[in-house]
Amino acid sequence: MAVSIAQRPAASARVLILTFLTTVIFHRTVADVSTGASTSEESPHRRFEYKYSFKGPHLSQTDGGIPFWIHSGNAIPSADQVRITPSLRSQRGSVWTKNKVSFEHWEAEVTFRVSGRGRMGADGLAVWFTTAQGLDGPVYGAADQWSGIGIFFDSFDNDGKKNNPAIVVVGNNGNLVYDHQNDGTTQALGTCLRDFRNKPYPVRAKITYYKKTLTVMINNGFTPDKEDYEFCTKVDNMIIPSEGFFGISAATGGLADDHDVLSFLLFRLTEPGQQPPPPESEMPKEEKDKYQEEFQNFQQELDKKKEEFQKEHPDVQGEPIEDLYETVNDREIRQVFEGQNRIHLEIKQLHRQLAMILDEQRRYVSVITDEVAKKGTNAESGQLDTSSQQQLGSVIATQQEVLRNLNELKNSFHESLKQIGSTQHQGNAVGMGTYETIQHFNDIKEHLHTVKRDVEHLVQRNAQNPAEKAVKCPEMPPMPSCLSTVHFAIFIVVQSILFFCYIMYKSQQEAAAKKFF
């Protein structure tokens, strides 16, 4: 009895040790199996499908259409987005792919913006994959009793349960009528509450259908990070049609929002280890033969036009056609040189006009100086008073200042001509677009601005001294060389008109020459 009692603790200890080891080995085996399963679950291969996608910029064509897509209702394509419905009441619009999609697995990324002034929006936006294009209808602008899947971004609370805005996934086999009164909750396969209206950044939705599982991920639009997605809903064991059309629709009711779609990007998903089919296999043989025939006809017409051109222009036979057309750089250089030459010619013309004005000013100053000298000899007889002498002196001073300013203008134009000549010489030597050429153009621009300021200063000075224009010639014995008031007034008017014309002319020339700087 003593031996048996002593052996019982040892036996129980062995049982406990064996149980512990068995438990440890079992947990480690389960962990290894789960780790191996997680590592073997690789991400699928993604391939972008441009024929079923759109995005900006240059989204719409010249005719207002979208490549590979059709739009209907109140949808308005533009260069960077598609406005499915504007913020007006009772509007419907949609866009659909022209060709059917026959992918087993796919992933769609939709970037959109829903914005409006009201606290509540209406009605909402929907993303579709259906066997037929629902171009118009009561379900967010698309047809009811569809066959396929619809992901609804519902912004209006029809049932009054305060559970909107919401994202609802609804499937249909072509027989169900959408339950508007309950916001589709009685038919929903998955749903989540997300506010997607009036966000600082566009909202992004990633819809993935892979291995009969539909997953919806949402970027809430609060950050510019494009990959900041959060889980919305997931539907397992979901079977959708093998072929169908992708579409986006929207509608407004008593309330209104702007429903804008910035991009729709579709990716084909392929399981790891499987090669994606080549692009040639996706196109039906009939369509491929049609495109090949069109290409051959176009090639034949092009060859005929080449032969006709060579017959009409035998002097260019054997020369490459590309050499007949200038490149973008050649055209820019030619435009710069043409603008330079025009500026040079205009400055030369202004230089000649300034020389003529200087000659006239010198002649008038000499006439006035002679008159003052003659009047000075007769001042002793009392025929001239002090005020007349002061007025004549101010007139002479003004004319001399005008003459001096005109000389400065002439010198400025002469310097501009020199700089333009040197710029053209450097441009012919080393080409345009260098830093020195740009600096020369800037110097020319500064000189032209200086000329304009000087002319404006002269005009203002003439306007500030109107009394000088009305100087009367003192009474003198009748002499044929006396400068009468009429002649002097005519001279001042002509001079002012010339100055104003010059200012307007220069302003127009500077505005036309700005694009060359």
Side-chain angles (χ1 to χ4, degrees), residues 484-502:
S484 64
T485 305
V486 176
H487 289 86
F488 188 78
I490 292 173
F491 164 73
I492 294 297
V493 171
V494 171
Q495 182 180 357
S496 301
I497 291 173
L498 287 175
F499 281 141
F500 279 114
C501 292
Y502 171 75

Side-chain angles (χ1 to χ4, degrees), residues 443-456:
D443 294 340
I444 294 170
K445 185 177 179 181
E446 291 296 328
H447 280 288
L448 293 177
H449 282 301
T450 303
V451 170
K452 183 179 178 181
R453 285 195 300 269
D454 292 338
V455 173
E456 289 177 352

Side-chain angles (χ1 to χ4, degrees), residues 327-345:
T327 62
V328 177
N329 295 329
D330 294 340
R331 182 168 63 252
E332 290 180 354
I333 292 175
R334 177 178 56 80
Q335 291 175 351
V336 170
F337 272 108
E338 289 177 356
Q340 236 186 353
N341 291 330
R342 286 196 294 268
I343 294 172
H344 190 260
L345 294 176

Side-chain angles (χ1 to χ4, degrees), residues 295-359:
F295 175 75
Q296 292 177 358
N297 294 334
F298 175 78
Q299 191 70 27
Q300 292 176 0
E301 292 179 0
L302 182 62
D303 294 338
K304 290 181 181 179
K305 290 181 179 180
K306 284 183 179 180
E307 294 177 359
E308 293 176 358
F309 177 81
Q310 290 179 357
K311 290 180 181 179
E312 295 176 358
H313 305 81
D315 53 337
V316 296
Q317 287 186 1
E319 297 181 2
I321 303 298
E322 289 78 8
D323 295 342
L324 300 177
Y325 303 97
E326 61 182 1
T327 62
V328 177
N329 295 329
D330 294 340
R331 182 168 63 252
E332 290 180 354
I333 292 175
R334 177 178 56 80
Q335 291 175 351
V336 170
F337 272 108
E338 289 177 356
Q340 236 186 353
N341 291 330
R342 286 196 294 268
I343 294 172
H344 190 260
L345 294 176
E346 296 297 338
I347 291 179
K348 276 187 175 180
Q349 185 178 359
L350 291 175
H351 190 267
R352 288 194 296 268
Q353 292 178 355
L354 277 177
M356 295 172 59
I357 294 174
L358 278 172
D359 292 338

Side-chain angles (χ1 to χ4, degrees), residues 366-516:
S366 62
V367 170
I368 293 175
T369 305
D370 293 340
E371 291 296 329
V372 170
K374 291 179 181 179
K375 291 179 178 63
T377 56
N378 298 327
E380 299 176 355
S381 61
Q383 295 179 357
L384 281 174
D385 54 356
T386 306
S387 62
S388 298
Q389 291 180 355
Q390 291 177 354
Q391 290 177 353
L392 287 174
S394 63
V395 170
I396 293 173
T398 303
Q399 293 296 327
Q400 289 176 352
E401 184 177 358
V402 170
L403 187 62
R404 185 173 60 256
N405 289 328
L406 288 175
N407 281 321
E408 293 178 358
L409 292 177
K410 183 178 180 181
N411 294 331
S412 298
F413 276 113
H414 188 63
E415 292 178 2
S416 299
L417 286 173
K418 287 183 178 179
Q419 289 183 356
I420 289 180
S422 62
T423 303
Q424 286 183 344
H425 178 70
Q426 292 179 1
N428 291 327
V430 298
M432 299 298 297
T434 60
Y435 175 77
E436 292 79 6
T437 303
I438 297 174
Q439 287 296 113
H440 280 299
F441 274 113
N442 291 333
D443 294 340
I444 294 170
K445 185 177 179 181
E446 291 296 328
H447 280 288
L448 293 177
H449 282 301
T450 303
V451 170
K452 183 179 178 181
R453 285 195 300 269
D454 292 338
V455 173
E456 289 177 352
H457 176 70
L458 290 176
V459 173
Q460 291 177 359
R461 187 174 183 84
N462 290 332
Q464 291 175 359
N465 299 320
E468 297 178 0
K469 298 182 181 180
V471 176
K472 294 183 179 180
C473 185
E475 295 181 0
M476 297 276 300
M479 295 179 62
S481 62
C482 180
L483 182 64
S484 64
T485 305
V486 176
H487 289 86
F488 188 78
I490 292 173
F491 164 73
I492 294 297
V493 171
V494 171
Q495 182 180 357
S496 301
I497 291 173
L498 287 175
F499 281 141
F500 279 114
C501 292
Y502 171 75
I503 292 171
M504 295 176 63
Y505 179 79
K506 281 306 300 173
S507 299
Q508 294 178 356
Q509 291 298 319
E510 287 183 2
K514 279 183 179 178
K515 61 183 179 179
F516 299 105

Side-chain angles (χ1 to χ4, degrees), residues 95-96 101 103-104 106-108 110 125-134 139-140 142-153 167-176 178 184 187-191 206-210 212-216 233-249 264 266:
V95 290
W96 293 85
V101 180
F103 304 155
E104 184 179 0
W106 48 265
E107 182 176 85
V110 188
L125 182 137
V127 180
W128 302 90
F129 179 74
T130 58
T131 55
Q133 298 171 338
V139 184
Y140 302 97
D144 201 349
Q145 296 180 333
W146 68 93
S147 179
I149 188 70
I151 297 92
F152 304 149
F153 297 84
I167 302 172
V168 185
V169 179
V170 179
N172 200 334
N173 57 2
N175 299 321
L176 299 178
Y178 183 66
Q187 304 165 341
L189 302 176
T191 181
K206 181 185 290 186
I207 306 166
T208 306
Y209 182 73
Y210 184 64
K212 298 182 181 180
T213 301
L214 184 75
T215 307
V216 180
T233 185
K234 182 178 181 181
V235 182
D236 295 323
N237 298 322
M238 185 174 187
I239 299 176
I240 63 175
S242 59
E243 294 184 353
F245 298 89
F246 279 99
I248 306 172
S249 66
F264 181 90
L266 184 66

Side-chain angles (χ1 to χ4, degrees), residues 55-125:
K55 65 176 181 177
H58 313 296
L59 190 151
S60 63
Q61 296 176 328
T62 55
D63 58 353
I66 308 172
F68 307 109
W69 289 70
I70 60 174
H71 63 280
S72 64
N74 302 114
I76 306 173
S78 62
D80 55 350
Q81 67 181 16
V82 180
R83 175 153 290 179
I84 308 297
T85 57
S87 56
L88 299 173
R89 295 181 178 180
S90 302
Q91 300 288 299
R92 293 178 180 177
S94 63
V95 290
W96 293 85
T97 56
K98 291 183 178 179
N99 301 320
K100 279 190 175 183
V101 180
S102 58
F103 304 155
E104 184 179 0
H105 313 296
W106 48 265
E107 182 176 85
E109 295 181 2
V110 188
T111 305
F112 63 93
R113 183 185 289 112
V114 180
S115 56
R117 296 183 179 181
R119 185 177 61 86
M120 297 178 60
D123 283 342
L125 182 137

